[in-house]
Amino acid sequence: MRQIFFDTETTGLSPESGDRIIEIGCVEMVNRRLTGNNKHFYLNPERPNHEDAVKIHGLTDEFLADKPLFAAIADELLEYLAGAEVIAHNASFDVGFFNEELKRLGRGKFVEHVGSVTDTLVMAREMFPGKSNSLDALCKRLEVDNSNRTLHGALLDAGLLAEVYINMTRGQDSLVIDATEAAQADLVLAAIDFSQFTLPVLVANDEEITAHEAILAETDKSSGGKTAWRALVA
């Protein structure tokens, strides 16, 4: 199973009004193990950032001025995403921006290029109703270290989301599976020949038998003579 944890940073909140993607981060996981085959792009949005957006991600217009356009990386990114389950937090936001970028290139919609889209925000709201389910809140709740997240960053956030997802779906404390666990998967127990042992047989004494019969008789009486063992003895 191939999964891509996906995040974007943008110039603002409204792709319909012309806001653009300026950063894309992708973290690959195959069979619930990180592969290191990740993708990360900064993009020139061909328009200014909103001031409030810069406060969130810290990517200035000057920094982005010499970065490639979305069109220049589209083929590489779509080939990378092809057929995968794409997992994003508040996926409708990222997919909405991606759809607008693809529309400019005449490349269809995002869902046409991937296997499926999973929204961890929807998952979190079902698991933790009535609670804050931002990525930061989930990191704190699920004990995922996000101490390096002073600003939003697409690749950093995609990595954090991968660990949050693992903890949400399996309760695992860490993405790291140590050698001990791997060795246990191949552990074969040796057969034991019990014929070599002489097992003692303990027999109740007369006093114990009398006490046991008294309990059975009382139980039989309280059930109106309907106890199963009496029927079997008969």
Side-chain angles (χ1 to χ4, degrees), residues 5-7 87-89 120 135 138-139 156-166:
F5 295 87
F6 183 85
D7 189 58
I87 301 173
H89 201 65
T120 48
L135 185 57
L138 290 174
C139 285
L156 171 63
D157 288 358
L160 291 173
L161 183 61
E163 190 158 359
V164 163
Y165 176 85
I166 285 291

Side-chain angles (χ1 to χ4, degrees), residues 1-5 27 29 81-88 114-119 123 165:
M1 178 175 61
R2 182 169 182 262
Q3 298 171 306
I4 303 295
F5 295 87
V27 171
M29 185 181 292
L81 295 173
E85 177 190 7
V86 174
I87 301 173
V114 302
S116 61
V117 177
T118 297
D119 190 341
M123 291 173 57
Y165 176 85

Side-chain angles (χ1 to χ4, degrees), residues 47-93:
R47 60 155 295 158
N49 268 292
H50 288 285
E51 183 177 339
D52 289 341
V54 177
K55 292 178 182 178
I56 294 173
H57 52 61
L59 303 176
T60 64
D61 296 339
E62 292 75 18
F63 173 79
L64 298 170
D66 62 349
K67 302 302 182 285
L69 303 182
F70 180 86
I73 61 94
D75 287 341
E76 178 184 351
L77 183 58
L78 291 176
E79 181 179 353
Y80 174 79
L81 295 173
E85 177 190 7
V86 174
I87 301 173
H89 201 65
N90 193 14
S92 60
F93 179 87

Side-chain angles (χ1 to χ4, degrees), residues 25 31 36 58 67 69 78 84 97 101-102 110 114-115 129 147 167 176 183 196 200 208 210-211 213 218 227:
N31 296 328
K67 302 302 182 285
L69 303 182
L78 291 176
F97 270 91
E101 297 289 356
L102 292 175
F110 184 75
V114 302
S147 57
N167 289 353
V176 178
Q196 63 183 301
E208 291 170 335
T210 301
E213 287 295 336
E218 182 63 30
T227 49

Side-chain angles (χ1 to χ4, degrees), residues 8-21:
T8 63
E9 298 299 335
T10 63
T11 60
L13 300 177
S14 176
E16 297 82 6
S17 300
D19 282 318
R20 303 286 298 273
I21 296 174

